Amino acid sequence: MTIDYPYTMRLAVNIDHIATLRNARGEQEPDPVAGALLAEKSGAAGIVCHLREDRRHIKDSDLLRLREAVTTKLDLEMAMTAELQQIALKTRPELITLVPEKREELTTEGGFNITGHYAALAEYLKPFNAEGIEVSLFIEPDKHAIDLSKEAGAQLVELHTGTYALKEHEAERARELHRIREAAIYARSIGLKVVAGHGLNYLNIAPFKGIPEIEEVSIGHAIIARALFTGLEEAVREMLQLIN
Ligand code: PXP
């Protein structure tokens, strides 16, 4: 697959933590759907939400309202469960992203273990492929995981950048970035679209401009946190400036 220059890296904004703040008071404000619309207005190419098993942030009713309101692309992050499969097929987001999910974690802790779930995963993805709902798998930047993603029926991979984001030493961070770059190049070469996400922020995003194989970054916490001080429109615009 070739890259068309000049290319633009897209930004998908995860609005889960607007719901986290709302749920802290159990009332209606701030509304994640209003946040999604502002993010789109400011240039986001997609809106991401994670309907977790414990519904700690986004609720089922939010997902329905997001489906109604989002006009760019709705990406539903979800665990590989029968319940979420039903919900996703009914709601019809443009894209689903399968993530591993543990009840006790604060946030997604790593990529999906495809090797351990390959047969079940391939079966799980069939109705999505039949319905034309694109599938992305959140995986470690690893060649074997990329191969299995494609074989199982995914059209995209989202490369986990959390390890990169947590590295404090420059050399280790550069090594991790190299892994991500190599994985992105490989995934593109076998016809997958490539997204990257987790832990990306205003300070660590710059090197991603140099990886054109990554078409999109998926960012939540950093943007919503910054928006508290700058407003969401400004926070989205600043991130777009940094990636392009
Ligand atoms: N991508 C995936 C698959 C995620 O699970 C998350 C966290 O919900 C993100 C991206 C966004 O991560 P962050 O909130 O650290 O930007």
Side-chain angles (χ1 to χ4, degrees), residues 14 16-17 48-50 52 57 75 77 97-100 107-109 138 158-161 195-201 217-223:
N14 179 315
D16 290 346
H17 295 306
V48 189
C49 69
H50 184 175
R52 293 186 79 101
H57 35 59
D75 174 4
E77 273 181 25
T97 299
L98 286 189
V99 298
T107 181
T108 316
E109 285 171 353
F138 182 55
E158 179 173 336
L159 302 177
H160 176 227
T161 51
V195 176
H198 209 276
L200 297 176
N201 62 36
V217 283
S218 172
I219 306 182
H221 189 265
I223 291 177

Side-chain angles (χ1 to χ4, degrees), residues 13-26:
V13 176
N14 179 315
I15 43 82
D16 290 346
H17 295 306
I18 301 179
T20 304
L21 190 56
R22 174 197 60 192
N23 298 351
R25 288 300 285 264

Side-chain angles (χ1 to χ4, degrees), residues 121-214:
L121 174 67
E123 201 52 39
Y124 191 86
L125 298 187
K126 279 185 187 160
F128 293 103
N129 286 333
E131 291 291 323
I133 297 173
E134 283 202 303
V135 173
S136 175
L137 299 180
F138 182 55
I139 57 169
E140 296 300 319
D142 169 81
K143 195 163 176 257
H144 186 53
I146 293 168
D147 282 331
L148 289 182
S149 299
K150 171 134 188 191
E151 279 167 44
Q155 291 75 44
L156 292 86
V157 283
E158 179 173 336
L159 302 177
H160 176 227
T161 51
T163 310
Y164 158 81
L166 288 176
K167 293 285 182 212
E168 285 177 6
H169 298 291
E170 203 40 54
E172 288 180 8
R173 186 180 280 229
R175 231 186 339 267
E176 192 56 30
L177 190 69
H178 181 73
R179 268 185 79 207
I180 294 168
R181 184 197 307 272
E182 294 294 303
I185 292 170
Y186 180 68
R188 276 293 281 249
S189 78
I190 63 166
L192 288 165
K193 297 182 220 173
V194 186
V195 176
H198 209 276
L200 297 176
N201 62 36
Y202 293 82
L203 299 177
N204 65 21
I205 190 71
F208 286 82
K209 270 201 300 198
I211 313 181
E213 288 77 14
I214 297 177

Side-chain angles (χ1 to χ4, degrees), residues 87-105:
I87 292 174
L89 288 169
K90 215 163 124 200
T91 317
R92 301 193 60 86
E94 278 75 24
L95 174 69
I96 60 157
T97 299
L98 286 189
V99 298
E101 192 177 303
K102 294 188 218 127
R103 254 170 199 275
E104 64 280 10
E105 70 192 356

